[in-house]
Amino acid sequence: MKLTEPVARALAGRRLMPLWAVVRHRGRKSGTAYETPIAVVPTTDASIVMIGLPWGPNTNWARNVVAAGGTSLRWKGGDVVLVRPRIVDGAEAQRLAKGAVGAVVKRFPAAIVFARA
């Protein structure tokens, strides 16, 4: 992660990089503002946004956005407000994912799903 983060951060959120985004969140206890590069999973429903959690649901940024009840993404060159986060297991993530990506997210311990505001 330490080696790829600078590349991901440089590409995330740009209009021509639809896979990568930057999730903005605040620490649950500290209130510190963070920006974390993530990969957005294509879904079959345009009203939702899903992000795989390959390191599990206890990932700090995921816990922060669940506690806050939402977040914003810098994605495809613009800002997207996301609400009602919920953690789903790999099987549900597979059902929500578009195409062959479902087979990948099914192997993840979890994913986080948001509604667009």
Side-chain angles (χ1 to χ4, degrees), residues 87-111:
I87 303 292
V88 299
D89 63 14
E92 186 171 353
Q94 181 182 27
R95 285 192 297 279
L96 296 170
K98 187 184 272 186
V101 176
V104 175
V105 294
K106 180 183 180 185
R107 295 177 169 263
F108 291 173

Side-chain angles (χ1 to χ4, degrees), residues 28-54:
R28 296 177 304 288
K29 296 175 186 172
S30 69
T32 302
Y34 295 100
E35 292 187 342
T36 304
I38 52 87
V40 177
V41 176
T43 61
T44 58
D45 181 350
S47 70
I48 64 170
V49 173
M50 182 167 57
I51 302 165
L53 298 172

Side-chain angles (χ1 to χ4, degrees), residues 7-110:
V7 174
R9 189 173 298 282
L11 297 176
R14 299 197 184 267
R15 187 167 41 95
L16 299 175
M17 297 302 294
L19 172 66
W20 294 98
V22 175
V23 63
R24 296 181 180 128
H25 56 100
R26 292 201 169 270
R28 296 177 304 288
K29 296 175 186 172
S30 69
T32 302
Y34 295 100
E35 292 187 342
T36 304
I38 52 87
V40 177
V41 176
T43 61
T44 58
D45 181 350
S47 70
I48 64 170
V49 173
M50 182 167 57
I51 302 165
L53 298 172
W55 291 277
N58 290 324
T59 302
N60 276 325
W61 75 260
R63 292 173 61 197
N64 290 342
V65 301
V66 168
T71 190
S72 69
L73 288 183
R74 180 77 176 156
W75 187 32
K76 297 180 182 178
D79 292 319
V80 179
V81 176
L82 304 174
V83 295
R84 296 188 306 277
R86 63 187 177 94
I87 303 292
V88 299
D89 63 14
E92 186 171 353
Q94 181 182 27
R95 285 192 297 279
L96 296 170
K98 187 184 272 186
V101 176
V104 175
V105 294
K106 180 183 180 185
R107 295 177 169 263
F108 291 173

